[in-house]
């Protein structure tokens, strides 16, 4: 099983600032990596797939990078609606596994 | 408009059974692989099970293998999760999600509570 490790667990950021979230895989997943956003009481939403491609209707302030075992989600200028939980998940092999999540909170 | 609507959740005793359903609309259900993902209260996401578009293959998380069974009925545009031998640790919101590699569309979830 591939273990996905996200850091930090909590990120405190002021509105308008940049946020950088990390996700590490215990073995290579190539570019088979997605990022999801989840707000309290809501279902997750796909933000990024293929490690760097924005999903439909996702604003350009969200960007993803990386391949192999190291991945980054960057939010260039945080808006109020971006304060939420973020999860990475690989889809390289079975079982699919998620990281434990990063909470982005208002500083 | 695409929709995935889960149903069938509720309170069940340890050792009991439950069957979840997910009704799909607004897209060609029979063309897509599907998944179940769960989230225990206050915890992160856990992928549970996957089924191909034609039901030719299924995959499960080790934590549910042998107890939970994913299935689908393309004529009814429906996905199912049969849950047997339920444990306290199966308490969670269960989401159905469409696969195109990543999970590109999710339902709103249904809560399953396993408690005596």
């Amino acid at each position: 099983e591939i273990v996905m490790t996200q850091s930090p667990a909590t990120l405190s950021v002021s509105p308008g600032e940049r946020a950088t979230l990390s996700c590490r895989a215990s073995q290579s997943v190539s570019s088979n990596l997605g990022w999801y956003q989840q707000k309290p009481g809501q279902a997750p939403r796909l933000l990024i797939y293929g490690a760097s491609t924005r999903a439909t209707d996702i604003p350009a302030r969200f960007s993803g990078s990386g391949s192999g075992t190291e991945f980054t989600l960057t939010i260039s200028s945080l808006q109020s609606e971006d304060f939420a939980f973020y999860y990475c998940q690989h889809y390289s092999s079975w079982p699919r596994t998620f990281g434990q999540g990063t909470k982005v909170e208002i500083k | 408009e695409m929709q995935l609507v889960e149903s069938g959740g509720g309170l069940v005793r340890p050792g009991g059974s439950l069957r979840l359903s997910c009704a799909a609309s607004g897209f060609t259900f029979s063309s897509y692989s599907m998944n179940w993902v769960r989230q225990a209260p206050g915890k992160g996401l856990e992928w549970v099970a996957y089924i191909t578009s034609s039901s030719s293959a299924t995959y499960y998380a080790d934590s549910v293998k042998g107890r939970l069974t994913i299935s689908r009925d393309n004529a009814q545009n429906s996905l199912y999760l049969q849950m047997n031998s339920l444990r306290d640790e199966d308490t969670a919101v269960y989401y159905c999600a469409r696969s195109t590699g990543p999970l590109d569309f999710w339902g709103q979830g249904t809560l399953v509570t396993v408690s005596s």
Side-chain angles (χ1 to χ4, degrees):
Chain A
E1 172 177 319
I2 298 176
V3 177
M4 307 300 292
T5 303
Q6 291 185 241
S7 61
T10 304
L11 187 60
S12 298
V13 185
S14 299
E17 288 188 342
R18 183 186 199 90
T20 303
L21 290 67
S22 295
C23 174
R24 174 177 292 179
S26 61
Q27 62 190 81
S28 177
V29 298
S30 186
S31 294
N32 298 310
L33 190 284
W35 287 96
Y36 302 85
Q37 178 193 65
Q38 188 181 32
K39 299 178 182 179
Q42 295 186 17
R45 173 175 73 146
L46 178 66
L47 296 176
I48 300 287
Y49 64 93
S52 62
T53 302
R54 278 189 303 277
T56 303
D57 295 331
I58 300 303
R61 64 180 181 273
F62 291 92
S63 63
S65 64
S67 67
T69 62
E70 300 283 344
F71 301 90
T72 301
L73 174 69
T74 302
I75 312 170
S76 60
S77 176
L78 271 154
Q79 306 297 301
S80 57
E81 60 267 30
D82 301 334
F83 293 97
F85 285 87
Y86 293 84
Y87 297 91
C88 62
Q89 186 210 22
H90 83 84
Y91 45 96
S92 174
S93 62
W94 304 102
R96 311 302 205 214
T97 47
F98 287 91
Q100 79 277 22
T102 291
K103 180 183 180 181
V104 177
E105 64 176 21
I106 300 175
K107 186 175 183 180
Chain B
E1 179 193 4
M2 290 196 304
Q3 278 198 307
L4 291 169
V5 180
E6 300 92 337
S7 60
L11 175 64
V12 60
R13 306 279 193 205
S17 297
L18 209 56
R19 190 195 197 205
L20 306 184
S21 300
C22 171
S25 60
F27 66 98
T28 306
F29 178 72
S30 59
S31 296
Y32 291 89
S33 300
M34 297 294 295
N35 300 259
W36 287 98
V37 176
R38 68 184 181 183
Q39 187 169 37
K43 302 298 184 182
L45 301 170
E46 180 186 17
W47 172 81
V48 171
Y50 165 96
I51 187 168
T52 57
S53 58
S54 63
S55 303
S56 60
T58 56
Y59 297 92
Y60 296 92
D62 287 345
S63 59
V64 306
K65 209 171 287 184
R67 300 187 301 115
L68 275 57
T69 302
I70 189 171
S71 63
R72 65 191 295 161
D73 183 340
N74 286 343
Q76 297 294 323
N77 290 331
S78 293
L79 177 73
Y80 305 103
L81 187 67
Q82 178 65 43
M83 309 172 72
N84 297 331
S85 303
L86 283 163
R87 305 168 179 168
D88 291 351
E89 55 265 34
D90 295 318
T91 294
V93 174
Y94 285 74
Y95 297 99
C96 63
R98 190 179 78 169
S99 272
T100 54
L103 304 176
D104 71 340
F105 189 70
W106 299 61
Q108 286 303 304
T110 187
L111 175 62
V112 172
T113 303
V114 183
S115 175
S116 55

